Coordinates of all heavy atoms in Angstrom, one line a residue:
M1 N 186.0 142.8 155.0 CA 187.0 142.1 155.9 C 186.2 141.7 157.2 O 186.7 140.8 157.9 CB 188.1 143.1 156.3 CG 189.0 143.3 155.1 SD 190.5 144.3 155.6 CE 189.8 145.9 155.9
N2 N 185.2 142.4 157.5 CA 184.5 142.2 158.8 C 183.4 141.1 158.6 O 182.7 140.8 159.6 CB 183.8 143.5 159.2 CG 183.4 143.5 160.7 OD1 183.7 142.6 161.4 ND2 182.7 144.5 161.1
K3 N 183.2 140.6 157.5 CA 182.2 139.6 157.2 C 182.7 138.2 157.5 O 183.8 137.8 157.3 CB 181.7 139.7 155.8 CG 180.6 140.6 155.6 CD 180.0 140.4 154.2 CE 178.7 141.1 154.1 NZ 178.1 140.9 152.8
K4 N 181.7 137.4 158.1 CA 182.0 136.0 158.3 C 180.8 135.3 157.6 O 179.7 135.2 158.2 CB 182.0 135.6 159.7 CG 182.4 134.2 160.0 CD 182.4 133.9 161.5 CE 182.8 132.5 161.8 NZ 182.8 132.2 163.2
G5 N 181.0 134.9 156.4 CA 179.9 134.4 155.6 C 179.0 135.5 155.2 O 179.3 136.4 154.5
K6 N 177.7 135.4 155.6 CA 176.7 136.4 155.3 C 176.5 137.4 156.5 O 175.8 138.4 156.3 CB 175.4 135.8 155.0 CG 175.4 135.0 153.8 CD 174.0 134.4 153.5 CE 174.0 133.7 152.2 NZ 172.7 133.1 151.9
E7 N 177.1 137.2 157.6 CA 176.9 138.0 158.8 C 178.2 138.8 159.1 O 179.3 138.4 158.8 CB 176.6 137.1 160.0 CG 175.3 136.4 159.9 CD 175.1 135.5 161.1 OE1 175.9 135.4 162.0 OE2 174.1 134.8 161.1
Y8 N 177.9 140.0 159.7 CA 179.1 140.8 160.2 C 179.5 140.4 161.6 O 178.7 140.0 162.4 CB 178.7 142.3 160.2 CG 178.6 142.9 158.8 CD1 177.4 143.0 158.2 CD2 179.7 143.3 158.2 CE1 177.3 143.6 156.9 CE2 179.7 143.9 156.9 CZ 178.5 144.0 156.3 OH 178.4 144.5 155.0
V9 N 180.8 140.5 161.9 CA 181.3 140.1 163.2 C 181.6 141.4 163.9 O 182.2 142.4 163.3 CB 182.6 139.3 163.0 CG1 183.2 138.9 164.3 CG2 182.3 138.0 162.2
K10 N 181.3 141.5 165.2 CA 181.6 142.7 166.0 C 183.1 142.6 166.4 O 183.5 141.7 167.0 CB 180.7 142.7 167.2 CG 179.3 143.1 167.0 CD 178.6 143.3 168.3 CE 177.2 143.7 168.0 NZ 176.5 144.0 169.3
T11 N 183.8 143.7 166.1 CA 185.2 143.8 166.5 C 185.2 144.4 167.9 O 184.2 144.9 168.4 CB 185.9 144.7 165.5 OG1 185.4 146.0 165.5 CG2 185.9 144.2 164.1
S12 N 186.4 144.3 168.5 CA 186.5 144.9 169.8 C 186.3 146.4 169.9 O 185.8 146.9 170.9 CB 187.9 144.5 170.4 OG 188.9 145.1 169.6
N13 N 186.6 147.1 168.8 CA 186.4 148.5 168.8 C 184.9 148.8 168.8 O 184.4 149.8 169.4 CB 187.1 149.2 167.6 CG 188.5 149.3 167.8 OD1 189.0 149.4 169.0 ND2 189.3 149.4 166.7
I14 N 184.1 148.0 168.0 CA 182.7 148.2 168.0 C 182.1 147.9 169.3 O 181.2 148.7 169.8 CB 182.1 147.3 166.9 CG1 182.5 147.8 165.5 CG2 180.6 147.3 167.0 CD1 182.1 146.9 164.3
I15 N 182.5 146.9 170.0 CA 182.0 146.6 171.3 C 182.3 147.7 172.3 O 181.5 148.1 173.1 CB 182.6 145.2 171.8 CG1 182.1 144.1 170.9 CG2 182.3 145.0 173.3 CD1 182.8 142.8 171.1
K16 N 183.5 148.3 172.2 CA 183.9 149.4 173.1 C 183.0 150.6 172.8 O 182.5 151.3 173.8 CB 185.3 149.8 172.9 CG 186.4 148.9 173.4 CD 187.8 149.4 173.1 CE 188.8 148.4 173.3 NZ 190.2 148.8 172.9
L17 N 182.7 150.9 171.6 CA 181.9 152.0 171.2 C 180.4 151.8 171.7 O 179.8 152.7 172.2 CB 181.9 152.3 169.7 CG 183.1 152.9 169.1 CD1 183.1 152.9 167.6 CD2 183.3 154.3 169.7
E18 N 179.9 150.6 171.6 CA 178.6 150.3 172.1 C 178.5 150.5 173.6 O 177.5 151.0 174.1 CB 178.2 148.9 171.7 CG 177.9 148.7 170.3 CD 177.5 147.2 169.9 OE1 177.8 146.3 170.7 OE2 177.0 147.0 168.8
K19 N 179.6 150.1 174.3 CA 179.6 150.3 175.8 C 179.6 151.8 176.1 O 178.9 152.2 177.1 CB 180.8 149.6 176.4 CG 180.6 148.1 176.5 CD 181.8 147.4 177.2 CE 181.6 145.9 177.2 NZ 182.7 145.2 177.9
E20 N 180.3 152.6 175.4 CA 180.3 154.0 175.6 C 179.0 154.6 175.4 O 178.5 155.5 176.1 CB 181.4 154.7 174.7 CG 182.8 154.5 175.1 CD 183.8 155.2 174.2 OE1 183.4 156.2 173.6 OE2 184.9 154.8 174.1
I21 N 178.3 154.2 174.3 CA 177.0 154.7 174.0 C 176.0 154.3 175.1 O 175.2 155.1 175.5 CB 176.5 154.2 172.6 CG1 177.4 154.8 171.5 CG2 175.0 154.5 172.4 CD1 177.2 154.3 170.1
Q22 N 176.1 153.1 175.6 CA 175.2 152.6 176.7 C 175.4 153.5 177.9 O 174.5 153.9 178.6 CB 175.4 151.2 177.0 CG 174.9 150.2 176.0 CD 175.2 148.8 176.3 OE1 176.0 148.5 177.2 NE2 174.7 147.9 175.5
L23 N 176.7 153.8 178.2 CA 177.0 154.6 179.4 C 176.4 156.0 179.2 O 175.8 156.6 180.2 CB 178.5 154.7 179.5 CG 179.0 155.5 180.7 CD1 178.6 154.8 182.0 CD2 180.5 155.7 180.7
L24 N 176.5 156.6 178.0 CA 175.9 157.9 177.8 C 174.4 157.9 177.9 O 173.8 158.8 178.6 CB 176.3 158.4 176.4 CG 177.7 158.9 176.2 CD1 178.0 159.2 174.7 CD2 178.0 160.1 177.0
H25 N 173.8 156.9 177.4 CA 172.3 156.8 177.6 C 171.9 156.6 179.0 O 170.9 157.2 179.5 CB 171.8 155.6 176.8 CG 171.7 155.9 175.3 ND1 170.8 156.8 174.8 CD2 172.4 155.4 174.3 CE1 171.0 156.9 173.5 NE2 171.9 156.0 173.1
R26 N 172.7 155.8 179.8 CA 172.4 155.7 181.2 C 172.6 157.0 182.0 O 171.8 157.3 182.8 CB 173.4 154.6 181.8 CG 173.0 154.2 183.2 CD 173.9 153.1 183.8 NE 174.1 152.0 182.9 CZ 175.3 151.5 182.5 NH1 176.4 152.0 183.0 NH2 175.4 150.5 181.7
K27 N 173.6 157.8 181.6 CA 173.9 159.0 182.3 C 172.7 160.0 182.0 O 172.2 160.7 182.9 CB 175.2 159.7 181.8 CG 176.4 159.1 182.4 CD 177.7 159.8 181.9 CE 178.9 159.2 182.5 NZ 180.1 159.9 182.1
L28 N 172.3 160.0 180.7 CA 171.1 160.9 180.4 C 169.9 160.5 181.1 O 169.1 161.4 181.6 CB 170.9 160.9 178.9 CG 171.9 161.6 178.0 CD1 171.7 161.4 176.6 CD2 172.0 163.1 178.3
A29 N 169.6 159.2 181.3 CA 168.5 158.7 182.0 C 168.5 159.2 183.5 O 167.5 159.6 184.0 CB 168.3 157.2 181.9
H30 N 169.7 159.1 184.1 CA 169.9 159.5 185.5 C 169.7 161.0 185.6 O 169.1 161.5 186.6 CB 171.2 159.1 186.0 CG 171.3 157.6 186.2 ND1 170.5 156.9 187.1 CD2 172.2 156.7 185.7 CE1 170.8 155.6 187.1 NE2 171.9 155.5 186.2
I31 N 170.1 161.8 184.6 CA 170.0 163.2 184.7 C 168.5 163.6 184.6 O 168.0 164.4 185.4 CB 170.8 163.9 183.6 CG1 172.3 163.8 183.8 CG2 170.3 165.4 183.4 CD1 173.1 164.2 182.7
R32 N 167.7 162.9 183.7 CA 166.3 163.2 183.6 C 165.6 162.8 184.9 O 164.7 163.5 185.4 CB 165.7 162.3 182.5 CG 166.0 162.9 181.1 CD 165.2 162.2 180.0 NE 165.9 162.3 178.8 CZ 166.7 161.4 178.2 NH1 166.8 160.3 178.7 NH2 167.2 161.7 177.0
K33 N 165.9 161.6 185.5 CA 165.3 161.2 186.7 C 165.6 162.2 187.9 O 164.7 162.5 188.6 CB 165.8 159.8 187.1 CG 165.1 159.2 188.2 CD 165.5 157.8 188.5 CE 164.9 157.1 189.6 NZ 165.4 155.8 189.9
N34 N 166.8 162.6 187.9 CA 167.2 163.6 189.0 C 166.4 164.9 188.8 O 165.9 165.5 189.8 CB 168.7 163.9 188.9 CG 169.1 164.8 190.0 OD1 168.6 164.7 191.1 ND2 170.1 165.6 189.8
Y35 N 166.3 165.3 187.6 CA 165.5 166.6 187.3 C 164.0 166.4 187.7 O 163.5 167.3 188.3 CB 165.6 166.9 185.8 CG 164.8 168.2 185.5 CD1 165.3 169.4 185.9 CD2 163.6 168.1 184.8 CE1 164.6 170.6 185.6 CE2 162.9 169.3 184.5 CZ 163.4 170.5 184.9 OH 162.7 171.6 184.6
L36 N 163.4 165.3 187.4 CA 162.1 165.0 187.8 C 161.9 165.1 189.4 O 161.0 165.7 189.9 CB 161.6 163.7 187.3 CG 161.2 163.6 185.8 CD1 160.9 162.2 185.4 CD2 160.1 164.6 185.5
H37 N 162.9 164.4 190.1 CA 162.8 164.4 191.5 C 162.9 165.9 192.1 O 162.2 166.3 193.0 CB 163.9 163.6 192.1 CG 163.5 162.1 192.2 ND1 162.5 161.7 193.1 CD2 163.9 161.0 191.6 CE1 162.4 160.4 193.0 NE2 163.2 160.0 192.1
Q38 N 163.9 166.6 191.5 CA 164.1 168.0 192.0 C 162.9 168.9 191.7 O 162.5 169.7 192.6 CB 165.3 168.6 191.3 CG 166.6 168.0 191.8 CD 167.8 168.6 191.1 OE1 167.7 169.3 190.1 NE2 169.0 168.3 191.7
T39 N 162.3 168.8 190.6 CA 161.1 169.7 190.3 C 159.9 169.3 191.1 O 159.2 170.2 191.6 CB 160.8 169.6 188.8 OG1 160.6 168.3 188.4 CG2 161.8 170.3 187.9
T40 N 159.6 168.0 191.2 CA 158.5 167.6 192.0 C 158.7 168.0 193.5 O 157.7 168.4 194.1 CB 158.2 166.1 191.9 OG1 159.4 165.3 192.2 CG2 157.7 165.7 190.5
A41 N 159.9 167.8 194.0 CA 160.1 168.2 195.4 C 160.0 169.7 195.6 O 159.5 170.2 196.6 CB 161.6 167.8 195.8
E42 N 160.4 170.5 194.6 CA 160.3 171.9 194.7 C 158.9 172.4 194.7 O 158.5 173.3 195.4 CB 161.1 172.6 193.5 CG 161.1 174.1 193.6 CD 161.9 174.7 192.4 OE1 162.8 174.0 191.9 OE2 161.7 175.8 192.0
I43 N 158.0 171.7 193.8 CA 156.6 172.1 193.8 C 155.9 171.7 195.1 O 155.2 172.5 195.6 CB 155.9 171.3 192.6 CG1 156.4 171.9 191.3 CG2 154.4 171.4 192.7 CD1 156.0 171.0 190.1
V44 N 156.2 170.6 195.7 CA 155.6 170.1 196.9 C 156.1 170.9 198.1 O 155.3 171.2 199.0 CB 155.8 168.6 197.1 CG1 155.3 168.2 198.4 CG2 155.1 167.9 196.0
K45 N 157.3 171.4 198.1 CA 157.9 172.1 199.2 C 157.3 173.5 199.4 O 157.4 174.1 200.4 CB 159.4 172.2 199.1 CG 160.1 170.9 199.5 CD 161.6 171.0 199.4 CE 162.2 169.7 199.7 NZ 163.7 169.8 199.6
T46 N 156.7 174.0 198.3 CA 156.1 175.3 198.5 C 154.8 175.3 199.3 O 154.2 176.3 199.6 CB 155.8 175.9 197.1 OG1 154.9 175.1 196.4 CG2 157.0 176.2 196.3
K47 N 154.4 174.0 199.6 CA 153.2 173.7 200.4 C 151.9 174.4 199.9 O 151.3 175.2 200.6 CB 153.4 174.2 201.9 CG 154.6 173.5 202.5 CD 154.5 173.3 203.9 CE 155.8 172.6 204.4 NZ 155.7 172.0 205.6
P48 N 151.6 174.0 198.7 CA 150.3 174.5 198.1 C 149.1 173.8 198.7 O 149.3 172.7 199.3 CB 150.4 174.2 196.6 CG 151.3 173.0 196.6 CD 152.2 173.2 197.7
F49 N 147.9 174.4 198.6 CA 146.7 173.7 199.1 C 146.4 172.5 198.2 O 146.0 171.4 198.7 CB 145.5 174.7 199.1 CG 144.2 174.1 199.3 CD1 143.9 173.6 200.6 CD2 143.3 174.0 198.4 CE1 142.7 173.0 200.9 CE2 142.0 173.4 198.6 CZ 141.7 172.9 199.9
K50 N 146.5 172.7 196.9 CA 146.3 171.5 196.0 C 147.2 171.8 194.7 O 147.5 172.9 194.4 CB 144.9 171.3 195.6 CG 144.2 172.5 194.9 CD 142.8 172.1 194.6 CE 142.1 173.3 194.1 NZ 140.7 173.1 193.8
V51 N 147.5 170.7 194.1 CA 148.2 170.7 192.8 C 147.3 170.2 191.7 O 146.7 169.1 191.9 CB 149.5 169.8 192.9 CG1 150.2 169.8 191.6 CG2 150.4 170.3 194.0
V52 N 147.3 170.9 190.6 CA 146.4 170.5 189.5 C 147.3 170.0 188.4 O 148.2 170.6 188.0 CB 145.6 171.7 189.0 CG1 144.7 171.3 187.9 CG2 144.7 172.2 190.2
V53 N 147.0 168.8 187.9 CA 147.7 168.1 186.8 C 146.6 167.9 185.7 O 145.6 167.3 185.9 CB 148.3 166.8 187.2 CG1 149.0 166.2 186.0 CG2 149.3 167.0 188.3
E54 N 147.0 168.4 184.5 CA 146.0 168.3 183.4 C 146.4 167.2 182.4 O 147.6 167.1 182.1 CB 146.0 169.6 182.7 CG 145.0 169.7 181.5 CD 145.0 171.0 180.8 OE1 145.7 171.9 181.3 OE2 144.3 171.2 179.8
D55 N 145.5 166.4 182.0 CA 145.7 165.4 180.9 C 145.6 166.1 179.6 O 144.5 166.7 179.3 CB 144.7 164.3 181.0 CG 145.0 163.4 182.2 OD1 146.1 163.3 182.7 OD2 144.0 162.8 182.7
I56 N 146.6 166.1 178.8 CA 146.6 166.7 177.5 C 146.3 165.7 176.4 O 147.1 164.8 176.2 CB 147.9 167.5 177.3 CG1 148.2 168.4 178.4 CG2 147.9 168.2 175.9 CD1 149.6 169.1 178.3
N57 N 145.2 165.9 175.7 CA 144.9 165.0 174.6 C 145.7 165.1 173.4 O 145.8 164.2 172.6 CB 143.4 165.2 174.3 CG 142.5 164.7 175.4 OD1 142.8 163.8 176.2 ND2 141.3 165.3 175.5
I58 N 146.3 166.3 173.2 CA 147.1 166.5 172.0 C 148.4 165.6 172.0 O 148.9 165.4 170.9 CB 147.5 168.0 171.9 CG1 148.0 168.3 170.5 CG2 148.6 168.4 172.9 CD1 148.1 169.8 170.2
I59 N 148.8 165.1 173.1 CA 150.0 164.2 173.2 C 149.7 163.0 172.3 O 150.6 162.5 171.7 CB 150.3 163.9 174.6 CG1 150.8 165.1 175.3 CG2 151.4 162.8 174.7 CD1 151.2 164.9 176.7
K60 N 148.5 162.5 172.3 CA 148.2 161.3 171.5 C 148.4 161.6 170.0 O 148.9 160.8 169.3 CB 146.7 160.9 171.7 CG 146.4 160.4 173.0 CD 145.0 160.0 173.2 CE 144.7 159.6 174.6 NZ 143.2 159.4 174.8
D61 N 148.1 162.9 169.6 CA 148.4 163.2 168.2 C 149.8 163.4 167.9 O 150.3 163.1 166.8 CB 147.6 164.5 167.8 CG 146.1 164.4 167.9 OD1 145.6 163.2 167.7 OD2 145.4 165.3 168.2
I62 N 150.6 164.0 168.9 CA 152.0 164.2 168.7 C 152.7 162.8 168.6 O 153.7 162.7 167.9 CB 152.6 165.0 169.9 CG1 152.0 166.4 169.8 CG2 154.1 165.1 169.9 CD1 152.4 167.3 171.0
M63 N 152.2 161.8 169.4 CA 152.9 160.5 169.3 C 152.8 159.8 168.0 O 153.6 158.9 167.7 CB 152.2 159.6 170.4 CG 152.5 160.0 171.8 SD 154.2 160.1 172.2 CE 154.6 158.4 172.4
K64 N 151.9 160.3 167.1 CA 151.8 159.8 165.7 C 153.0 160.2 164.9 O 153.3 159.6 163.9 CB 150.5 160.1 165.1 CG 149.3 159.5 165.8 CD 148.0 160.0 165.2 CE 146.8 159.4 166.0 NZ 145.5 159.9 165.5
N65 N 153.6 161.4 165.2 CA 154.7 161.9 164.5 C 156.0 161.1 165.0 O 156.3 161.2 166.2 CB 154.9 163.4 164.7 CG 156.0 164.0 163.9 OD1 156.9 163.3 163.5 ND2 155.8 165.3 163.6
K66 N 156.7 160.5 164.1 CA 157.8 159.6 164.5 C 159.0 160.4 165.1 O 159.7 159.9 165.9 CB 158.3 158.8 163.4 CG 158.9 159.5 162.2 CD 159.4 158.5 161.2 CE 160.2 159.2 160.1 NZ 160.7 158.3 159.1
H67 N 159.1 161.7 164.7 CA 160.2 162.5 165.2 C 159.9 163.0 166.6 O 160.7 163.0 167.5 CB 160.6 163.6 164.3 CG 161.0 163.2 162.9 ND1 162.1 162.5 162.7 CD2 160.3 163.2 161.7 CE1 162.2 162.2 161.4 NE2 161.1 162.6 160.8
L68 N 158.7 163.5 166.8 CA 158.3 164.1 168.1 C 158.0 163.0 169.1 O 158.1 163.3 170.3 CB 157.1 165.0 167.9 CG 157.3 166.2 167.0 CD1 156.0 167.0 166.9 CD2 158.3 167.1 167.7
S69 N 157.6 161.8 168.7 CA 157.2 160.8 169.7 C 158.4 160.4 170.5 O 158.3 160.1 171.7 CB 156.6 159.6 169.0 OG 157.6 159.0 168.1
K70 N 159.6 160.4 169.9 CA 160.8 160.0 170.7 C 161.1 161.0 171.8 O 161.4 160.7 172.9 CB 162.0 159.9 169.8 CG 162.0 158.8 168.8 CD 163.1 158.8 167.8 CE 163.0 157.8 166.8 NZ 164.1 157.8 165.8
V71 N 160.9 162.3 171.5 CA 161.1 163.4 172.4 C 160.1 163.3 173.6 O 160.4 163.5 174.7 CB 161.1 164.7 171.7 CG1 161.3 165.9 172.7 CG2 162.2 164.8 170.7
I72 N 158.9 163.1 173.2 CA 157.8 163.1 174.2 C 158.0 161.9 175.2 O 157.8 162.0 176.4 CB 156.4 163.0 173.5 CG1 156.1 164.3 172.8 CG2 155.3 162.8 174.5 CD1 156.0 165.5 173.6
T73 N 158.3 160.7 174.6 CA 158.5 159.6 175.5 C 159.6 159.8 176.5 O 159.6 159.3 177.6 CB 158.7 158.3 174.7 OG1 159.8 158.5 173.8 CG2 157.4 157.9 173.9
K74 N 160.7 160.5 176.1 CA 161.8 160.7 176.9 C 161.5 161.7 178.1 O 162.2 161.7 179.1 CB 163.0 161.2 176.1 CG 163.6 160.1 175.3 CD 164.8 160.6 174.5 CE 165.4 159.5 173.7 NZ 166.5 160.0 172.9
Q75 N 160.4 162.5 177.9 CA 160.0 163.4 179.0 C 159.4 162.7 180.2 O 159.4 163.3 181.3 CB 159.1 164.5 178.4 CG 159.7 165.3 177.3 CD 161.0 166.0 177.8 OE1 161.0 166.6 178.9 NE2 162.0 165.9 176.9
E76 N 158.9 161.5 180.0 CA 158.4 160.7 181.1 C 157.3 161.4 181.9 O 157.5 161.6 183.1 CB 159.5 160.2 182.0 CG 160.5 159.4 181.2 CD 161.7 158.9 182.0 OE1 162.0 159.6 183.0 OE2 162.3 157.9 181.7
F77 N 156.3 161.9 181.3 CA 155.2 162.6 182.0 C 154.5 161.7 183.0 O 154.1 162.2 184.1 CB 154.1 163.1 181.0 CG 154.6 164.2 180.1 CD1 154.5 164.1 178.7 CD2 155.2 165.3 180.6 CE1 155.0 165.1 177.9 CE2 155.7 166.3 179.8 CZ 155.5 166.2 178.4
Y78 N 154.4 160.4 182.7 CA 153.7 159.5 183.7 C 154.6 159.4 185.0 O 154.0 159.4 186.1 CB 153.5 158.1 183.1 CG 152.8 157.2 184.0 CD1 151.5 157.3 184.3 CD2 153.5 156.2 184.6 CE1 150.9 156.5 185.2 CE2 152.9 155.3 185.5 CZ 151.6 155.5 185.8 OH 151.0 154.6 186.7
K79 N 155.9 159.3 184.8 CA 156.8 159.2 186.0 C 156.7 160.5 186.8 O 156.7 160.5 188.0 CB 158.2 159.0 185.5 CG 159.1 158.6 186.7 CD 160.5 158.4 186.2 CE 160.7 157.1 185.6 NZ 162.1 156.7 185.3
F80 N 156.6 161.6 186.1 CA 156.4 162.9 186.8 C 155.1 162.9 187.7 O 155.1 163.3 188.8 CB 156.4 164.1 185.8 CG 156.1 165.4 186.4 CD1 157.1 166.1 187.0 CD2 154.8 166.0 186.4 CE1 156.9 167.4 187.6 CE2 154.6 167.2 187.0 CZ 155.6 167.9 187.6
R81 N 154.0 162.4 187.0 CA 152.7 162.4 187.8 C 152.8 161.4 188.9 O 152.3 161.7 190.0 CB 151.6 162.0 186.8 CG 150.3 162.0 187.4 CD 149.2 161.6 186.4 NE 147.9 161.9 187.1 CZ 146.9 162.3 186.4 NH1 147.0 162.6 185.2 NH2 145.7 162.4 187.1
R82 N 153.4 160.3 188.7 CA 153.6 159.3 189.8 C 154.4 159.9 191.0 O 154.0 159.7 192.2 CB 154.2 158.0 189.3 CG 153.9 156.8 190.0 CD 154.4 155.6 189.4 NE 155.9 155.6 189.5 CZ 156.7 155.2 188.5 NH1 156.3 154.8 187.4 NH2 158.0 155.3 188.7
M83 N 155.5 160.6 190.7 CA 156.3 161.2 191.7 C 155.5 162.2 192.5 O 155.6 162.3 193.7 CB 157.5 161.8 191.1 CG 158.6 160.8 190.7 SD 160.0 161.7 190.1 CE 161.0 160.4 189.5
M84 N 154.7 163.0 191.7 CA 153.9 164.1 192.4 C 152.9 163.4 193.3 O 152.6 163.9 194.4 CB 153.2 164.9 191.3 CG 154.0 166.0 190.7 SD 154.6 167.2 191.9 CE 153.1 168.0 192.3
E85 N 152.3 162.3 192.9 CA 151.3 161.7 193.7 C 151.8 161.2 195.0 O 151.3 161.4 196.1 CB 150.6 160.5 192.9 CG 149.7 161.0 191.9 CD 148.8 159.8 191.4 OE1 148.7 158.8 192.0 OE2 148.2 160.0 190.3
Y86 N 153.0 160.5 195.0 CA 153.5 160.0 196.3 C 154.1 161.1 197.2 O 154.0 161.0 198.4 CB 154.4 158.8 196.1 CG 155.9 159.1 195.8 CD1 156.8 159.5 196.8 CD2 156.4 159.0 194.5 CE1 158.1 159.7 196.6 CE2 157.7 159.2 194.3 CZ 158.6 159.6 195.3 OH 159.9 159.8 195.0
K87 N 154.6 162.1 196.6 CA 155.2 163.2 197.4 C 154.1 164.1 198.0 O 154.2 164.5 199.1 CB 156.2 164.1 196.5 CG 157.5 163.3 196.2 CD 158.4 164.2 195.5 CE 159.7 163.4 195.2 NZ 160.7 164.1 194.4
R88 N 153.0 164.3 197.3 CA 151.9 165.1 197.8 C 151.2 164.3 198.9 O 150.6 164.8 199.8 CB 151.0 165.6 196.7 CG 150.3 164.6 196.0 CD 148.9 164.4 196.5 NE 148.3 163.3 195.8 CZ 147.3 162.6 196.4 NH1 146.8 163.0 197.5 NH2 146.8 161.5 195.7
R89 N 151.1 163.0 198.7 CA 150.4 162.1 199.7 C 151.1 162.2 201.0 O 150.4 162.2 202.1 CB 150.3 160.7 199.2 CG 149.4 159.8 199.9 CD 149.3 158.4 199.4 NE 148.9 158.4 198.0 CZ 149.5 157.8 197.0 NH1 150.5 157.0 197.3 NH2 149.0 157.8 195.8
V90 N 152.4 162.3 201.0 CA 153.2 162.3 202.3 C 152.8 163.6 203.0 O 152.7 163.6 204.3 CB 154.7 162.3 202.0 CG1 155.5 162.5 203.3 CG2 155.0 160.9 201.5
L91 N 152.7 164.7 202.3 CA 152.4 166.0 203.0 C 150.9 166.3 203.1 O 150.5 167.4 203.6 CB 153.1 167.1 202.2 CG 154.6 167.0 202.2 CD1 155.2 168.1 201.3 CD2 155.1 167.2 203.6
G92 N 150.0 165.5 202.5 CA 148.6 165.7 202.6 C 148.1 166.8 201.7 O 147.1 167.5 202.0
I93 N 148.6 166.9 200.5 CA 148.2 167.9 199.6 C 147.3 167.2 198.6 O 147.5 166.1 198.1 CB 149.4 168.5 198.8 CG1 150.3 169.2 199.8 CG2 149.0 169.5 197.7 CD1 151.7 169.6 199.3
K94 N 146.2 167.9 198.2 CA 145.3 167.3 197.2 C 145.9 167.4 195.8 O 146.6 168.3 195.5 CB 144.0 168.1 197.2 CG 143.1 167.9 198.4 CD 141.9 168.7 198.3 CE 141.0 168.6 199.6 NZ 139.8 169.3 199.5
L95 N 145.5 166.4 195.0 CA 146.0 166.4 193.6 C 144.8 166.4 192.7 O 143.9 165.6 192.8 CB 146.8 165.2 193.3 CG 147.4 165.1 191.9 CD1 148.5 166.2 191.7 CD2 148.1 163.8 191.7

């Protein structure tokens, strides 16, 4: 019933569900971003002499696994490092 020739037509209920899913994904992205800001601020506010960030080579191997790669990319390690760099630069902490 939902077909128009060879293609499927989106009904209004499908469009509503897609909008709800987009909203949930947006909320999760904001929660992750807020958590990154809070953790980097907490680390920098302890006023350490220097902060050490390690590059982990095993992540490249984990990214080859299709199930784990989705989880790793959502952790946004690069964004964490970038936030640490600009927050520590303001306070003059070595990285």
